[in-house]
Amino acid sequence: MKLVAEISMYPLNEQYLEPIQTFIDRLNEYSHLKVVTSATSTLVSGDYLATMQVLAKEMQRSHQEVGQAIFVCKFLNGDKMSSDV
């Protein structure tokens, strides 16, 4: 089964741009995921379980490195949320 996740990250500190970019850059390192970034969110798509495992790993890593951060996520089972993914 496929999954599309829409994610927005909100680090709770004044220097918020670098942690967001670092999170997106790390997601882009996974060749089995498709990652499309817009001004307000990032769409991640791939195999359901593999995608969820990557997101769990990278969100935890961000929390460990950044401290408090809010992740707003939407999940859609399937392989399309828009024509971009």
Side-chain angles (χ1 to χ4, degrees):
M1 182 183 326
K2 298 291 184 181
L3 174 74
V4 177
E6 180 182 15
I7 304 171
S8 297
M9 179 184 180
Y10 303 96
L12 299 180
N13 60 47
E14 291 181 23
Q15 305 299 322
Y16 59 89
L17 290 178
E18 183 179 334
I20 294 169
Q21 189 60 56
T22 299
F23 178 71
I24 293 168
D25 290 345
R26 286 197 315 251
L27 292 178
N28 277 302
E29 291 177 3
Y30 293 90
S31 61
H32 63 283
L33 297 180
K34 181 166 183 181
V35 180
V36 178
T37 303
S38 71
T40 59
S41 65
T42 298
L43 295 174
V44 182
S45 62
D47 179 68
Y48 196 102
L49 185 56
T51 302
M52 291 297 284
Q53 289 172 335
V54 167
L55 294 177
K57 177 183 175 181
E58 295 303 339
M59 287 190 300
Q60 180 180 9
R61 185 173 169 188
S62 291
H63 280 132
Q64 290 170 333
E65 292 175 357
V66 175
Q68 288 194 319
I70 299 168
F71 285 92
V72 177
C73 305
K74 299 175 192 173
F75 300 98
L76 173 68
N77 63 319
D79 59 0
K80 292 213 179 211
M81 189 150 80
S82 72
S83 60
D84 294 337
V85 177

